């Protein structure tokens, strides 16, 4: 039996094709069911996703290679592998660990996915590691431990993003693009409320899914080791947060990431995460921020 399975039908992305070939060259046997490097036929007439789930469940690893290496572009190749019980060996979005079921705090750790980038996309190094895991049941089992422990608080909070309807998120995104393309600032948006906690930096804040900003002036006398906490406290004091609880048995994400009740704070145009006291210290005045609550 092959150690890994692959479903690659778009052969235009040469990097992933070469990786499959090189892994085999270094001793990792691959059953390839797609059009590219095809060496194995499917024998089931079930719906496509069910066929893939059943097939992947028979392999220790799945080569979940996307056709693009763009942040946030993660397809069923990754999630079907997780659902099947196989371990994804991944090429694609560099921030894939952010979406993993055991996702840890920034800069995002995970032991449920093997990201080829962690091996410098060196097929020989990657193959050596996969062969090691194949012979070491204890080390391999660590990649399935999330099934025992359950989803991490970060993963649950990430899923709560969908609590804001897709149509609303698309409208906010489009409105932001129009506003920025016309050179309109948050000031011209006339924030609904202005809150002053001192004479420090002025920030414009909104919750994910909202368009209008609230203006907050931070306290300039806060200790540098407390800047992030101060920003979070100001947000929680001024914004009426939405409350969602989509988890069965009334389970809510056990969150303790950057502060109570706040999952993440982003710079709106760039989506850069504000995750530390230094990040708050170095924020420019009049910055636009978006936060996600849990």
């Amino acid at each position: 039996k092959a150690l890994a399975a692959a479903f690659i039908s778009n052969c235009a992305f040469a990097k992933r094709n070469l990786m499959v070939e090189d892994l085999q060259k270094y001793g990792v046997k691959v059953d390839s069911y797609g059009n590219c490097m095809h060496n194995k036929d499917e024998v089931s007439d079930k719906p496509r996703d069910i066929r893939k789930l059943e097939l992947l469940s028979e392999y220790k690893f799945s080569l979940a290679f996307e056709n693009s290496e763009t942040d946030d572009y993660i397809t069923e190749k990754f999630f079907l592998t997780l659902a099947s019980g196989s371990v994804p060996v991944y090429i694609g979005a560099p921030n894939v660990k952010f979406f993993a079921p055991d996702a840890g705090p920034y800069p995002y750790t995970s032991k449920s996915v093997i990201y080829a980038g962690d091996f410098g996309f060196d097929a020989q190094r990657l193959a050596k590691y996969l062969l090691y895991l194949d012979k070491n049941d204890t080390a391999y089992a660590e990649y399935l431990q999330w099934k025992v422990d359950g989803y991490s608080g970060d993963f649950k909070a990430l899923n709560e993003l969908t609590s804001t309807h897709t149509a609303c998120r698309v409208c906010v995104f489009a409105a932001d693009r129009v506003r920025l393309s016309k050179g309109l600032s948050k000031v011209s948006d006339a924030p609904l409320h202005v809150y002053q906690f001192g004479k420090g930096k002025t920030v414009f804040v909104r919750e994910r899914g909202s368009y209008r900003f609230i203006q907050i002036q931070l306290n300039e006398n806060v200790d540098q080791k407390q800047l992030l906490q101060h920003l979070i406290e100001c947000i929680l004091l001024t914004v009426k947060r939405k409350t969602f609880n989509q988890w069965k048995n009334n389970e809510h994400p056990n969150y303790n990431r950057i502060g109570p009740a706040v999952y993440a704070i982003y710079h709106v145009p760039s989506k850069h995460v504000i995750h530390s006291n230094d990040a708050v210290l170095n924020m420019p005045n009049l910055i636009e921020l978006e936060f996600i609550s849990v």
Side-chain angles (χ1 to χ4, degrees):
K1 187 70 176 181
L3 186 59
F7 288 83
I8 302 175
S9 295
N10 180 351
C11 305
F13 188 37
K15 182 174 183 175
R16 61 182 181 179
N17 301 336
L18 182 61
M19 180 63 78
V20 174
E21 293 175 355
D22 286 348
L23 285 175
Q24 294 189 94
K25 181 172 68 176
Y26 293 117
V28 176
K29 186 177 180 181
V30 178
D31 282 346
S32 182
Y33 292 92
N35 295 330
C36 310
M37 297 157 292
H38 180 86
N39 64 11
K40 191 78 170 180
D41 293 324
E42 299 181 51
V43 294
S44 172
D45 58 357
K46 295 180 180 179
R48 178 175 177 269
D49 284 349
I50 294 178
R51 293 201 314 268
K52 290 183 70 173
L53 274 173
E54 291 180 346
L55 281 171
L56 290 175
S57 69
E58 300 175 6
Y59 296 86
K60 279 192 169 181
F61 303 102
S62 168
L63 304 186
F65 295 172
E66 309 282 15
N67 57 22
S68 173
E69 293 181 277
T70 304
D71 274 350
D72 300 340
Y73 179 75
I74 299 173
T75 70
E76 82 289 346
K77 292 180 182 296
F78 176 64
F79 294 107
L80 276 179
T81 299
L82 293 171
S84 74
S86 184
V87 174
V89 180
Y90 188 80
I91 292 178
N95 65 339
V96 62
K97 294 177 184 178
F98 179 70
F99 297 89
D102 61 337
Y106 184 90
Y108 316 125
T109 58
S110 169
K111 202 65 185 288
S112 61
V113 55
I114 300 171
Y115 176 50
D118 291 339
F119 298 82
F121 299 103
D122 184 321
Q124 186 172 13
R125 288 176 57 201
L126 180 56
K128 182 178 180 180
Y129 186 64
L130 297 181
L131 293 172
Y132 159 75
L133 292 177
D134 183 39
K135 295 178 180 178
N136 189 321
D137 291 341
T138 301
Y140 177 79
E142 292 178 3
Y143 284 91
L144 302 176
Q145 185 62 36
W146 67 271
K147 290 179 173 288
V148 177
D149 297 339
Y151 300 135
S152 69
D154 281 61
F155 184 75
K156 293 175 184 178
L158 178 65
N159 275 270
E160 286 203 356
L161 292 179
T162 58
S163 298
T164 301
H165 195 280
T166 303
C168 295
R169 286 182 280 143
V170 169
C171 288
V172 170
F173 176 79
D176 276 339
R177 293 292 294 269
V178 171
R179 176 171 60 86
L180 294 172
S181 70
K182 293 183 177 180
L184 299 177
S185 70
K186 51 271 160 186
V187 177
S188 64
D189 269 341
L192 295 177
H193 300 286
V194 178
Y195 296 89
Q196 189 170 7
F197 296 93
K199 297 182 179 180
K201 293 177 182 177
T202 295
V203 298
F204 296 86
V205 178
R206 71 183 182 195
E207 186 170 7
R208 171 67 62 87
S210 301
Y211 176 66
R212 303 297 293 272
F213 288 91
I214 287 175
Q215 181 177 324
I216 298 174
Q217 189 166 14
L218 301 174
N219 189 328
E220 74 280 16
N221 296 319
V222 174
D223 187 284
Q224 290 190 8
K225 295 181 180 179
Q226 299 295 322
L227 288 175
L228 181 59
Q229 184 62 30
H230 174 59
L231 175 60
I232 292 171
E233 289 174 353
C234 290
I235 289 173
L236 295 179
L237 285 170
T238 57
V239 179
K240 183 178 180 180
R241 297 185 298 111
K242 305 179 183 71
T243 56
F244 300 106
N245 194 339
Q246 299 181 335
W247 303 96
K248 61 183 180 180
N249 301 324
N250 294 318
E251 179 187 9
H252 198 68
N254 180 19
Y255 170 72
N256 185 19
R257 189 175 183 204
I258 60 172
V262 173
Y263 169 65
I265 302 174
Y266 295 91
H267 176 214
V268 172
S270 70
K271 299 303 180 186
H272 179 73
V273 181
I274 306 298
H275 59 83
S276 67
N277 292 314
D278 285 342
V280 177
L281 178 65
N282 294 320
M283 288 189 316
N285 194 37
L286 305 180
I287 191 173
E288 293 182 0
L289 301 176
E290 185 172 273
F291 80 96
I292 303 167
S293 63
V294 294

